Amino acid sequence: MLISIFKSPHSYTGEDTIEISCHGSPYIQQRLLQLFIKNGARMAQPGEYTMRAFLNGKLDLTQAEAVADLIASNSAVSHQVAMQQMRGGFSTKIKVLRDNLIDFAALIELELDFSEEDVEFADRSQLKNLVLSIQRILERLIESFEIGNVIKNGIPVAIVGKPNAGKSTLLNALLEEERAIVSEIPGTTRDTIEDELIIDGVMFRFIDTAGIRETVDVIESIGVSKTFEAIKYSAIIIYLFDAHELSRTDLQIELDKLHEHIGQSQLLVLANKIDKEDLNYLKTEYQDISNMLYVSAREKQGLEALKHKLIALFDSRTVNITETVVTNARHADALRKANSALYKVMEGLNHQIPGDLLAIDIREALDAMGTITGEINSEHLLDSIFTRFCIGK
Ligand SMILES: Nc1nc2c(ncn2[C@@H]2O[C@H](COP(=O)(O)OP(=O)(O)OP(=O)(O)O)[C@@H](O)[C@H]2O)c(=O)[nH]1
Ligand SMILES: [Mg+2]
């Protein structure tokens, strides 16, 4: 047994700490734990170490949250984003903006003390400029959450098409497991089936869907409406069709119908079952369709090209990961609140409202920004953050 001693403040929590390294046997570990508990020690709460580190000023709140993200990260990119947050870039940015705003808030509050004399310490046009530049940065951060969220939870990719096109076969081929039922009966898949796959360090979440067709079957039609929902929330849509069955004209009709639903998402068109067709013939037939790929889901042909294409689409959509990316829903929420408070400040400035009213809106923005780094915290907030940790962290 080896005992390492960390003297305050040079430990993870900032307190005096000892760490015991012992034999890996669970039995010995249990005996040691029991011995300590009998002598007055207690088990740590989930996240207690990191919470103490935060309370002792070793980490700010975003850094502490990044610890949880780091433990949970399952792809190279989400690891990279969590590491970056832990280094504190994001919170430094927010702190600087907030400090600038605090200076103005102080000046405006000072005016209130001299309200009889009608003086203006805080230069309104300077304040306007500051609010505008803070808003620009906040908006960029809020936008980054869209991609941040996707990095954390996987980029949603819906596989859609007519019944029997081979969507479930494609899902299985990509995952390399028999995840979804495949059969020659049209209408086999009736519910959406999701699974994750990491390609080149990026996590994708593939969603196999019920084949799109008019149907009187109640359950199948619920499945089809779920398909349209999946189309709505996916960043990438794979339209898969049976190259042996669907004519060029019918494909165009299907694609035109689909375009009404896909909005901002990227569309990839996949000709499937190329094992039954002449590839050169297909390539001339479909040469004018953009983002077109040729695969055989069953024979596992063309899957590497598909993976490359997915990574390429991800790269073109995303920012450089070295930029700050917000991945945490709580932060995104606080940023939105701060931003809308700043809109009110801006409106107030445009209508030349009195300083005391302006001060209220500025305070609201400051509070929202403060909750991100933990300068403003409530017990409730801390509890909800740290209980999501695992014990011992
Ligand atoms: N020859 C050939 N057959 C394929 C290929 N991919 C799928 N199939 C066959 O096509 C049939 C339908 O496949 P599924 O994967 O169930 O099709 P689906 O699009 O999920 O169909 P629904 O769930 O009914 O909407 C099965 O018999 C598959 O074996 C392929 O690349 N080549
Ligand atoms: Mg299916």
Side-chain angles (χ1 to χ4, degrees):
M1 193 166 77
L2 181 72
I3 297 182
S4 325
I5 298 170
F6 299 86
K7 282 250 181 234
S8 165
H10 306 291
S11 69
Y12 180 66
T13 61
E15 298 163 5
D16 285 336
T17 312
I18 59 159
E19 258 179 40
I20 300 166
S21 315
C22 68
H23 195 279
S25 133
Y27 171 72
I28 294 180
Q29 290 171 10
Q30 281 305 322
R31 287 296 303 269
L32 275 174
L33 277 179
Q34 278 162 14
L35 184 71
F36 289 125
I37 288 168
K38 218 165 91 189
N39 285 284
R42 69 163 171 81
M43 297 293 280
Q45 305 288 333
E48 186 171 345
Y49 283 94
T50 308
M51 176 134 123
R52 285 179 183 223
F54 164 70
L55 293 174
N56 293 327
K58 296 287 281 191
L59 300 169
D60 72 29
L61 208 48
T62 56
Q63 289 172 315
E65 286 171 305
V67 174
D69 283 349
L70 199 62
I71 297 167
S73 65
N74 47 10
S75 71
V77 178
S78 59
H79 172 88
Q80 204 178 334
V81 171
M83 278 302 283
Q84 201 191 320
Q85 186 174 320
M86 211 159 84
R87 286 190 209 109
F90 173 50
S91 31
T92 316
K93 218 175 203 170
I94 296 291
K95 261 192 209 130
V96 171
L97 297 179
R98 193 167 175 268
D99 286 348
N100 291 338
L101 202 55
I102 285 176
D103 292 343
F104 266 101
L107 286 176
I108 288 182
E109 273 159 32
L110 196 65
E111 284 173 13
L112 303 181
D113 295 339
F114 293 88
S115 54
E116 306 289 287
E117 285 141 65
D118 195 25
V119 284
E120 272 191 10
F121 294 117
D123 181 328
R124 298 300 192 260
S125 69
Q126 263 180 26
L127 177 59
K128 243 188 208 178
N129 284 339
L130 176 68
V131 170
L132 274 179
S133 64
I134 296 181
Q135 278 188 310
R136 259 201 303 277
I137 297 172
L138 292 188
E139 273 156 19
R140 246 211 348 259
L141 289 171
I142 293 167
E143 272 169 31
S144 81
F145 177 62
E146 194 193 324
I147 191 69
N149 192 32
V150 144
I151 290 170
K152 212 156 126 181
N153 300 317
I155 299 161
V157 183
I159 307 173
V160 305
K162 284 173 165 287
N164 253 3
K167 300 177 294 300
S168 303
T169 311
L170 179 68
L171 178 79
N172 293 347
L174 285 167
L175 299 174
E176 293 182 32
E177 69 172 82
E178 298 307 303
R179 181 72 176 75
I181 300 174
V182 166
S183 87
E184 66 286 352
I185 305 163
T188 304
T189 307
R190 295 169 155 232
D191 208 344
T192 48
I193 299 172
E194 302 193 11
D195 219 330
E196 292 155 359
L197 179 69
I198 294 170
I199 304 172
D200 279 1
V202 181
M203 186 159 74
F204 289 88
R205 198 152 42 83
F206 289 97
I207 306 146
D208 178 22
T209 61
I212 301 169
R213 67 167 169 187
E214 297 285 329
T215 172
V216 287
D217 185 305
V218 180
I219 297 171
E220 195 183 341
S221 66
I222 296 173
V224 174
S225 56
K226 279 189 149 192
T227 301
F228 286 106
E229 261 169 52
I231 290 175
K232 241 188 265 159
Y233 68 74
S234 291
I236 299 173
I237 318 289
I238 294 181
Y239 180 79
L240 187 75
F241 69 97
D242 184 336
H244 190 62
E245 288 283 327
L246 198 68
S247 72
R248 175 72 182 77
T249 335
D250 286 344
L251 173 66
Q252 197 56 55
I253 295 170
E254 293 301 319
L255 289 179
D256 289 345
K257 275 196 270 179
L258 190 65
H259 270 294
E260 291 167 20
H261 298 276
I262 56 178
Q264 299 283 315
S265 319
Q266 308 253 16
L267 177 67
L268 261 183
V269 185
L270 248 64
N272 189 29
K273 312 199 186 180
I274 55 167
D275 52 299
K276 289 204 211 165
E277 278 290 343
D278 177 46
L279 192 55
N280 290 328
Y281 161 74
L282 288 177
K283 283 191 173 161
T284 38
E285 182 87 347
Y286 298 119
Q287 58 184 343
D288 58 322
I289 297 182
S290 54
N291 279 342
M292 178 90 185
L293 291 173
Y294 303 85
V295 298
S296 167
R298 202 179 65 186
E299 306 305 323
K300 300 192 168 47
Q301 288 173 30
L303 298 185
E304 285 311 308
L306 170 59
K307 289 180 187 172
H308 279 136
K309 186 74 194 174
L310 289 169
I311 287 292
L313 287 181
F314 168 76
D315 281 344
S316 70
R317 260 183 71 97
T318 43
V319 278
N320 188 344
I321 307 289
T322 52
E323 257 186 50
T324 306
V325 178
V326 177
T327 55
N328 185 302
R330 190 183 73 78
H331 299 165
D333 192 43
L335 291 169
R336 280 191 210 104
K337 280 194 185 127
N339 203 26
S340 62
L342 288 178
Y343 265 110
K344 282 195 273 175
V345 173
M346 212 46 198
E347 252 184 37
L349 283 169
N350 287 336
H351 292 97
Q352 294 165 352
I353 62 162
D356 50 348
L357 296 180
L358 212 51
I360 294 174
D361 296 335
I362 295 181
R363 181 72 37 216
E364 198 180 313
L366 286 174
D367 283 357
M369 286 160 87
T371 57
I372 295 176
T373 50
E375 270 139 308
I376 309 277
N377 60 62
S378 68
E379 220 170 288
H380 171 72
L381 173 70
L382 295 187
D383 273 356
S384 80
I385 291 171
F386 288 103
T387 48
R388 287 186 290 121
F389 275 67
C390 47
I391 291 170
K393 286 288 172 317

